Amino acid sequence: MTAMPQSIDATLEFLRGGGYVPDRSLATVLYLSLKMGRPLFLEGEAGVGKTEIAKVLAERLGRRLIRLQCYEGLDISSAVYEWNYAAQMIEIRAAEASGGVDRERLVGDVFTERFLIKRPLLQALDVDERGAPVLLIDELDRADEAFEAYLLEVLADNQVTIPELGTFRAAAPPIVIVTTNRTREIHDALKRRCLYHWIDYPDAARELEIVRTKVPGAGERLSREIVAFVQRLRSEDLFKNPGVAETLDWATALTELDQVALDPATVSDTLGVLLKYQDDIARVAGGRTEELLDEVKSQLAAAE
């Protein structure tokens, strides 16, 4: 367990201590988010490390990580709470069997916390001895706009209203990370309640540091060639550019193959680790792979 960072530089070291390699702008907005108690809204392409920030925060602070994975059709019963209807029915049948049922009292008996099933958003309002949890609302753009509107109460007031029981308010606000891959725009009303940061693909120097940190088994030459090739690949006309997650997967795969450097045959054979669409693979396979690899090796040789 690590104490909350008290400066931007401390936030940089805090993230690096968890194996995350940030730039200073990200460390700044994260520090402000923690200091001000405001949710952090992270936007960017898939695979650039948005979700990982919440995981590192929870691990380093020793807090619970509560993850709400968003999807189309997500509703309150899956995200906030629902009633344990089976247990309620058993309670009702038992009361009826005993005779003399007071219906008004029975309704009050079955709509209590004993029959409440807490889902991620309600769980995030519970504080334990470790402190307030880290709440990750992941890929919000996949959820419907109606659910997005429901989040406003949670993000603004750290509370959830249950009609049968009243309002549940957090004793201490959770640390909230909201991520989106920008497949649709999120409403301004929600963004206003958060601090915002766009996470872009890293430059070559930072991506190389990430590979060194996450895949220490990859040799220096191989790591440099991997990063240079991926950086060059992102300038191609692809349907989906490889993210940092794909770079790390590729570095791990090539290390498992005992590669010490890139060669055209191995690159072609492993493109499915790096690219996830057949059209993209077809676009850079064969002769184009060799051309790109020649460019990369010439560039690295010139820089030495």
Side-chain angles (χ1 to χ4, degrees), residues 209-251:
E209 187 178 355
I210 293 169
V211 171
R212 287 169 174 161
T213 301
K214 293 292 190 179
V215 193
E220 183 65 18
R221 178 183 174 185
L222 179 63
S223 297
R224 288 182 179 278
E225 289 185 357
I226 286 171
V227 169
F229 188 86
V230 172
Q231 292 272 328
R232 177 64 183 84
L233 202 57
R234 289 185 186 130
S235 65
E236 294 288 293
D237 184 22
L238 300 176
F239 179 75
K240 173 64 177 71
N241 286 329
V244 178
E246 283 74 35
T247 303
L248 296 174
D249 284 345
W250 199 38

Side-chain angles (χ1 to χ4, degrees), residues 39 76 80-81 121-122 125 137 146-163 166-170 174 176 189-190 193:
I76 291 175
V80 190
Y81 75 96
L121 291 182
L122 192 53
L125 302 182
I137 303 174
F147 177 73
E148 182 185 324
Y150 183 86
L151 282 177
L152 298 180
E153 181 185 21
V154 180
L155 297 182
D157 302 318
N158 299 300
Q159 66 181 35
V160 165
T161 300
I162 299 176
T167 300
F168 286 71
R169 185 174 288 105
V176 181
L190 190 141
R193 287 159 172 78

Side-chain angles (χ1 to χ4, degrees), residues 4 34 54 57-59 61-67 119-136 158 170-177:
M4 202 80 78
L34 295 173
L57 273 174
E59 180 184 350
L61 293 173
R63 309 283 184 94
R64 287 181 298 145
L65 174 63
I66 298 174
R67 180 174 182 169
R119 299 304 186 195
L121 291 182
L122 192 53
Q123 292 172 17
L125 302 182
D126 290 334
V127 179
D128 60 23
E129 67 279 358
R130 294 169 291 179
V134 176
L135 171 62
L136 170 62
N158 299 300
I175 299 169
V176 181
I177 304 293

Side-chain angles (χ1 to χ4, degrees), residues 247-261:
T247 303
L248 296 174
D249 284 345
W250 199 38
T252 302
L254 293 171
T255 302
E256 291 293 330
L257 294 174
D258 297 321
Q259 291 292 123
V260 295

Side-chain angles (χ1 to χ4, degrees), residues 33-103:
S33 171
L34 295 173
K35 197 73 174 175
M36 297 166 65
R38 296 280 296 279
L40 178 56
F41 187 97
L42 298 175
E43 199 165 42
E45 299 290 343
V48 293
K50 303 183 296 297
T51 300
E52 189 67 18
I53 290 173
K55 294 179 180 179
V56 170
L57 273 174
E59 180 184 350
R60 296 281 284 152
L61 293 173
R63 309 283 184 94
R64 287 181 298 145
L65 174 63
I66 298 174
R67 180 174 182 169
L68 174 61
Q69 180 62 53
C70 298
Y71 55 87
E72 186 177 354
L74 179 66
D75 59 11
I76 291 175
S77 65
S78 299
V80 190
Y81 75 96
E82 67 176 327
W83 293 105
N84 188 337
Y85 297 114
Q88 286 175 320
M89 287 304 299
I90 292 172
E91 184 79 5
I92 291 169
R93 296 302 184 201
E96 290 175 342
S98 65
V101 178
D102 182 336
R103 292 187 177 277

